[in-house]
Amino acid sequence: MKRSTKRPEPSNPGSSGPPHGWRRRDMLLGMAAAGLVACDGQEDQQAGSKERRFWRMTTCWPKNFPGLGTAAQYVADFITAASGGRLTVTLFAAGEIVPAFEAIDAVSRGVVEMGHGSPYYWKGKLAACQFLTSTPFGLEAQEQNAWYAQGGGQEIADQLYAELGCKFFPAGNTCVQMGGWFKRTIDTVGDFSGLKIRMPGLGGEVIKALGANVVNLPAGEVALALQSGAIDAVDWAGPYNDLAFGLHQYADYYYYPGWHEPCGTLDCFINLEQWADLPTDLQAIVATACAAANQMSTAEFTARNANSLQKLMDEHGVEIRPFSQDTLNQLAITSRDVIAEIASADPQSAKIYQSLTTFLQTIRRWSENSEAAFLQARERALSS
């Protein structure tokens, strides 16, 4: 039986005002777009527009955590405002309703209507989900977004999440990440052996094959685990998030590049039954909210990572180190073998991996001759 969402309007403990990066202009544009959709003249939509719905969103993040919690709050606030309150979304941080890694179960069962996290958190339920977040040495954020929008990624993800009882939307991206914080130097791939490290997704599977002890921890437990010595190293995201967690206080070596996670898709997932029950104009508002959050978080991470890296180096004396080229070469070889083996284990993983691989082969030449070539030219010009 479908749980009613037409309950008394709740307070909003998950909101403490507009999230960082919010602009009134974005809200007005969203409201204008929603208004155009709402004016299609269909009688069933007009009837549906009189209903007020109250949804809860559970997340995998601490409340208003930079770039992650704020992306989720952006989605909730956008939907509420653009719908004129017809669909009011209240955000709850990890642990307020369910623990972080139980978010998709809560949505699937109808405990809450929607959630926000990252697809690789659900690989224990469907292994193929981890391919939707990122692949080692794979697509970067702009390319990944292109795959979702133009390369068939949205349709593939929808089919996969339907098995979890959810509708899928990309709703944020961490962009290319750093290689992680380490308490000891990583000079060769042999140094991963025996390392206790927090690294989710396919990257974690790669270094597990190299002898690392890989654990997955929710955001709220990362800093404490590194501080206490429960782990020796941690991949989180990038300088923006890492500085907020204070990870520089507990590890001496900050490595780059983020070979394991060249982008980091965040997902908004909605109970399928509740999604199907929405009038089409409200569906359009939800879709637009997720697309806007995807764009806003990419901009936020790009700008704030730059500022935060400078602060880590100038104010905290953090030493950033590159992985050696030999280490990266060996990681790339291991990645190909490990990912191919994982992809061959089930048809869903194989389908997604094939789609991503085909898209990468198609787009890489353009990326090399556009973005990569320009960045190299710009660096030479600015350094001369």
Side-chain angles (χ1 to χ4, degrees):
M1 179 179 295
K2 181 169 63 184
R3 186 169 64 85
S4 172
T5 60
K6 303 174 184 67
R7 52 181 179 268
E9 183 169 359
S11 60
N12 195 343
S15 175
S16 57
H20 184 81
W22 179 268
R23 297 290 182 269
R24 178 175 174 81
R25 179 186 62 186
D26 301 309
M27 178 75 80
L28 293 175
L29 287 173
M31 293 175 70
L36 290 174
V37 173
C39 292
D40 67 358
Q42 296 181 17
E43 293 183 2
D44 59 331
Q45 286 190 209
Q46 291 174 353
S49 69
K50 298 177 183 178
E51 299 179 353
R52 289 176 58 84
R53 301 163 189 260
F54 301 97
W55 280 14
R56 296 186 296 173
M57 174 196 288
T58 186
T59 76
C60 296
W61 324 117
K63 189 169 295 184
N64 289 322
F65 188 72
L68 303 170
T70 54
Q73 190 68 63
Y74 190 106
V75 173
D77 290 346
F78 190 110
I79 293 170
T80 301
S83 69
R86 287 171 50 215
L87 177 55
T88 297
V89 179
T90 302
L91 182 145
F92 293 86
E96 290 188 318
I97 296 179
V98 294
F101 295 155
E102 294 179 19
I104 204 161
D105 288 327
V107 174
S108 177
R109 296 195 309 265
V111 175
V112 295
E113 291 75 31
M114 64 191 303
H116 192 273
S118 187
Y120 56 21
Y121 290 157
W122 326 127
K123 72 175 187 177
K125 302 181 183 303
L126 287 175
C129 285
Q130 61 192 318
F131 287 88
L132 297 176
T133 296
S134 189
T135 53
F137 298 96
L139 301 173
E140 51 85 43
Q142 182 168 272
E143 296 169 332
Q144 184 94 343
N145 285 335
W147 176 70
Y148 276 117
Q150 300 291 325
Q154 178 68 56
E155 293 77 13
I156 289 174
D158 274 336
Q159 292 170 10
L160 189 63
Y161 272 55
E163 296 193 26
L164 298 171
C166 295
K167 165 68 177 169
F168 169 91
F169 286 107
N173 201 302
T174 63
C175 303
V176 63
Q177 301 192 0
M178 288 290 282
W181 294 88
F182 297 81
K183 292 187 175 183
R184 66 182 193 226
T185 60
I186 302 295
D187 300 315
T188 70
V189 290
D191 292 324
F192 285 106
S193 181
L195 193 74
K196 295 179 293 184
I197 181 171
R198 184 269 181 198
M199 182 179 284
L202 291 166
E205 297 299 325
V206 172
I207 60 170
K208 187 185 298 183
L210 294 170
N213 299 314
V214 178
V215 298
N216 194 10
L217 297 171
E221 299 177 20
V222 170
L224 181 59
L226 190 62
Q227 179 185 19
S228 69
I231 55 177
D232 306 310
V234 60
D235 147 61
W236 182 244
Y240 183 33
N241 274 189
D242 296 352
L243 178 62
F245 270 143
L247 299 182
H248 60 281
Q249 301 174 73
Y250 314 122
D252 293 329
Y253 306 103
Y254 199 23
Y255 277 88
Y256 70 93
W259 60 272
H260 61 294
E261 210 161 328
C263 72
T265 297
L266 308 179
D267 58 350
C268 180
F269 39 99
I270 302 164
N271 178 277
L272 266 181
E273 194 174 59
Q274 296 293 341
W275 171 255
D277 191 52
L278 284 182
T280 55
D281 63 326
L282 289 184
Q283 287 185 345
I285 288 173
V286 172
T288 302
C290 292
N294 204 40
Q295 174 63 31
M296 285 297 297
S297 73
T298 300
E300 183 176 356
F301 273 106
T302 299
R304 298 300 175 181
N305 275 333
N307 295 337
S308 298
L309 181 62
Q310 199 68 44
K311 186 172 184 178
L312 283 168
M313 296 171 65
D314 293 348
E315 298 182 20
H316 299 288
V318 169
E319 177 184 356
I320 64 170
R321 291 190 170 197
F323 290 116
S324 71
Q325 189 58 54
D326 182 65
T327 297
L328 290 171
N329 291 344
Q330 292 300 314
L331 285 167
I333 292 169
T334 305
S335 294
R336 285 195 294 269
D337 293 340
V338 169
I339 296 172
E341 183 178 354
I342 292 173
S344 68
D346 70 274
Q348 295 166 320
S349 294
K351 179 179 180 180
I352 297 178
Y353 183 50
Q354 181 59 54
S355 177
L356 286 166
T357 301
T358 300
F359 192 80
L360 176 58
Q361 292 305 319
T362 300
I363 205 170
R364 62 183 291 194
R365 177 163 292 181
W366 169 242
S367 294
E368 289 166 3
N369 286 279
S370 57
E371 300 286 339
F374 168 73
L375 291 174
Q376 291 172 2
R378 185 178 69 182
E379 187 59 30
R380 289 192 294 268
L382 295 178
S383 300
S384 61

